Amino acid sequence: MFNQRTKIKVLLQSDHIGQDITVMGWVRSFRNNQFIALNDGSTNNNLQIVVNLGLLDDATLKRITTGASLKVKGQVAASLGKGQAIELIAAAVEILGDSDAEKFALQPKKHSLEFLREIAHLRFRTNTFGAIFRIRHSLAFAIHQFFNEKGFVYLHTPIVTASDAEGAGEMFRVTTLPMDGSAPKNEDGSINYKEDFFGKATNLTVSGQLEGELGAMAFSEIYTFGPTFRAENSNTTRHLAEFWMIEPEMAFHDIEDNMNLAEEFIQYLIAYAMKHNADDLVFLDQRLAEEEKLKPQNERSEMGLLEKLRFVTENKFERITYTEAIDILLNSPAYKKKKFKYNVSWGIDMQSEHERYLVEKHFKKPVIVTNYPAAIKAFYMRLNDGCEPGKETVAAMDILAPGIGEIVGGSQREERLANLEARMAAFHIPTEEMSWYLDTRRFGTVPHAGFGLGFERMVQFVTGMGNIRDVIPFARTPKNCEF
Ligand code: ATP
Ligand code: MN
């Protein structure tokens, strides 16, 4: 058996002094032909390995280069040097894989995030990306734990869908028809998708919500957690063409229950990471603090990463209506001094500059905005009763987070068949094709609600990373699909 090693995380956590052990990992650096910093990905902390003079011949020493993989046997000892409590006194060093130092792109120095994006296949081996992706893992695990503890059923909604009714974004077409012009055509010249693989036009899903609602109508509470795809041509630091979304859907919940769950969920995830990824968060907190120092004073965040995370878990989110949000914007110094690029008036779809003003300047904490104008929200959102004509609102709720903007989009769903049909007609959504969806309202409809949390935006929030491309292993964005 090859793998009889001790993981570096375990080694650094408990007392192994005096024990003979084996470690394996990759060389981060090699100083003075004597001190190897070895990392195996289990923690950001490297293990210092001491290679005493005479243990290895010159040829072997030369092969201990940044990036090389090693198997080291030795005895654990208390470290005399500063920076680590223990070290491993090597008795045998085996080089598992060489790494040509001249050609290896990752040098033991600081690289820019932009450069690391170009070598995303290697960036996991840096401190920053090691920390980010261990946290991403923890959050994914915590998501399942949170819902499992509450008795939600994890429902796998389809990736390939025929419904294009959601209107959440542009879709990627899925087809096996030839692209060279020889695809079967209808009389009017359009492509005849009846001849396609599924016998109809199909796309990659933009959201699992509609199918999620079907599940909620049987299990009461479900959640989905899977990849979603949007061919929106928005080259921002908050949008990916392929991203992961968590979508709980709950029967017998109204908008307030929905807000309560979303808030508890976000706080739970943050607390989980703070408990299980303390080292990685301390590292990212320092990284961010250094980055902030390079910014002009007025652009710096008021709180450090850990401070912000603690604050968010300990304080209630602000809750305001869309109408209140618009009033705050209209009365803001930013608006009066014409600092907003986009206009503000009741009915607008708030731009990210508006959302960020509300969370970062005005409230300085996460904000839940409810009751948006019906005209700018999806057809399935529940129409609020007693609205002024022309000012109809729906029971929608978006959660806006400092530094991110929208992190959650949700609503109470329209459970009344007649209302839903009217809304679908207004949005020109053919009801025949959606008959399966309408059946939930025909047979035992109940008040229900749900939301979608963008997983990468959540990882951004917890890690403090400014660009969404840095919190997914291999980003898919317009004109970019490497690796
Ligand atoms: P935005 O206005 O930021 O584009 P949206 O209103 O299109 O978001 P929803 O359709 O409500 O978003 O999706 C639910 C959640 O999914 C959002 O709150 C966000 O966290 C996340 N999300 C949406 N689009 C993307 C994307 N292209 N990349 C990453 N996350 C996304
Ligand atoms: Mn969008």
Side-chain angles (χ1 to χ4, degrees):
M1 193 166 77
F2 187 75
N3 189 3
Q4 278 197 313
R5 70 188 169 133
T6 305
K7 284 204 178 186
I8 292 173
K9 180 178 180 169
V10 175
L11 202 55
L12 297 177
Q13 266 171 356
S14 40
D15 185 14
H16 294 261
I17 290 176
Q19 289 178 14
D20 289 313
I21 55 130
T22 301
V23 292
M24 299 181 210
W26 293 266
V27 176
R28 283 288 171 86
S29 65
F30 188 30
R31 274 189 304 124
N32 301 343
N33 263 353
Q34 200 184 2
F35 300 108
I36 303 171
L38 195 77
N39 191 285
D40 67 2
S42 61
T43 159
N44 243 354
N45 301 307
N46 301 324
L47 175 66
Q48 167 149 298
I49 293 168
V50 181
V51 183
N52 284 324
L53 211 66
L55 178 73
L56 303 173
D57 56 36
D58 276 0
T60 311
L61 286 173
K62 281 211 176 67
R63 292 172 62 200
I64 303 176
T65 52
T66 300
S69 49
L70 306 184
K71 175 177 179 177
V72 183
K73 283 187 186 162
Q75 197 174 63
V76 183
S79 177
L80 304 175
K82 59 175 181 334
Q84 66 273 324
I86 60 153
E87 58 194 18
L88 187 70
I89 312 298
V93 178
E94 184 186 334
I95 293 169
L96 299 174
D98 287 288
S99 169
D100 184 339
E102 309 250 299
K103 293 191 183 137
F104 189 52
L106 278 181
Q107 295 298 320
K109 63 162 195 170
K110 211 171 154 55
H111 293 291
S112 75
L113 295 174
E114 290 76 15
F115 172 72
L116 291 171
R117 241 168 260 152
E118 286 168 21
I119 52 161
H121 58 301
L122 297 173
R123 68 178 178 173
F124 299 125
R125 291 201 214 171
T126 64
N127 283 332
T128 301
F129 288 93
I132 293 168
F133 290 110
R134 273 187 298 273
I135 291 170
R136 185 179 163 113
H137 157 78
S138 274
L139 292 174
F141 187 84
I143 286 161
H144 288 298
Q145 184 165 295
F146 177 84
F147 287 119
N148 188 50
E149 280 169 1
K150 288 192 179 293
F152 282 52
V153 169
Y154 177 29
L155 194 73
H156 294 103
T157 51
I159 308 287
V160 176
T161 65
S163 80
D164 57 359
E166 233 255 289
E170 294 297 309
M171 298 189 149
F172 289 99
R173 170 78 15 111
V174 174
T175 179
T176 54
L177 292 176
M179 291 285 106
D180 59 4
S182 67
K185 305 258 168 33
N186 296 312
E187 275 171 15
D188 65 0
S190 61
I191 290 180
N192 180 4
Y193 285 104
K194 287 207 181 74
E195 300 283 314
D196 202 350
F197 188 91
F198 295 106
K200 53 166 76 167
T202 50
N203 308 290
L204 292 177
T205 185
V206 292
S207 155
Q209 181 203 315
L210 299 187
E211 291 91 349
E213 283 185 57
L214 312 181
M217 291 303 120
F219 300 108
S220 292
E221 291 158 335
I222 65 95
Y223 70 106
T224 72
F225 181 12
T228 46
F229 307 84
R230 295 190 187 177
E232 46 194 1
N233 206 351
S234 32
N235 235 322
T236 75
T237 55
R238 318 266 175 259
H239 289 91
L240 292 164
E242 176 182 299
F243 66 99
W244 288 66
M245 190 151 55
I246 301 99
E247 295 178 278
E249 192 68 40
M250 300 79 67
F252 320 115
H253 278 57
D254 66 12
I255 180 114
E256 197 185 336
D257 302 315
N258 204 21
M259 285 191 270
N260 292 344
L261 183 78
E263 182 170 338
E264 183 190 344
F265 180 43
I266 289 173
Q267 290 178 328
Y268 179 95
L269 295 183
I270 296 172
Y272 188 94
M274 290 178 78
K275 181 160 175 220
H276 294 88
N277 298 81
D279 282 3
D280 287 326
L281 283 172
V282 166
F283 174 83
L284 291 172
D285 180 76
Q286 286 162 359
R287 198 199 80 84
L288 199 67
E290 279 164 32
E291 208 174 68
E292 289 284 308
K293 275 193 221 143
L294 304 173
K295 291 186 186 164
Q297 194 85 38
N298 62 339
E299 283 174 28
R300 292 184 199 165
S301 357
E302 283 171 29
M303 286 187 200
L305 178 63
L306 283 168
E307 199 184 356
K308 175 190 83 177
L309 295 178
R310 209 171 299 118
F311 178 86
V312 170
T313 56
E314 286 169 1
N315 290 281
K316 291 242 138 258
F317 297 3
E318 197 67 39
R319 296 183 184 192
I320 57 169
T321 64
Y322 169 90
T323 303
E324 285 162 350
I326 294 293
D327 284 343
I328 291 169
L329 292 172
L330 288 173
N331 287 312
S332 68
Y335 178 78
K336 290 179 180 152
K337 288 186 201 145
K338 300 200 178 357
K339 289 253 171 80
F340 292 130
K341 194 167 149 219
Y342 295 91
N343 191 32
V344 180
S345 66
W346 199 96
I348 60 157
D349 201 355
M350 278 190 277
Q351 297 292 323
S352 120
E353 58 174 356
H354 305 135
E355 298 179 340
R356 296 187 73 156
Y357 178 85
L358 290 172
V359 283
E360 285 157 31
K361 295 270 171 345
H362 191 84
F363 289 111
K364 300 178 197 287
K365 53 151 84 168
V367 178
I368 313 183
V369 184
T370 54
N371 300 333
Y372 283 80
I376 58 167
K377 288 289 184 185
F379 75 91
Y380 49 71
M381 298 190 178
R382 191 180 195 278
L383 201 62
N384 285 321
D385 300 316
C387 292
E388 213 182 293
K391 285 215 159 185
E392 286 83 9
T393 59
V394 286
M397 59 137 206
D398 280 5
I399 303 186
L400 314 177
I404 307 284
E406 182 188 329
I407 190 164
V408 161
S411 66
Q412 184 172 340
R413 318 306 189 191
E414 182 56 83
E415 85 282 13
R416 299 159 295 190
L417 182 63
N419 281 19
L420 187 59
E421 284 173 333
R423 290 272 289 160
M424 288 172 82
F427 281 82
H428 306 292
I429 295 164
T431 43
E432 319 80 67
E433 280 168 38
M434 298 287 289
S435 161
W436 52 271
Y437 181 68
L438 292 169
D439 269 0
T440 55
R441 276 63 168 177
R442 290 189 185 112
F443 307 107
T445 192
V446 294
H448 65 290
F451 62 85
L453 170 72
F455 186 46
E456 285 74 20
R457 291 195 192 173
M458 186 67 207
V459 182
Q460 271 190 286
F461 187 72
V462 173
T463 58
M465 298 304 290
N467 194 317
I468 199 163
R469 292 165 181 78
D470 294 331
V471 298
I472 188 161
F474 302 104
R476 273 81 182 90
T477 51
K479 302 280 178 288
N480 170 47
C481 192
E482 293 301 316
F483 312 105

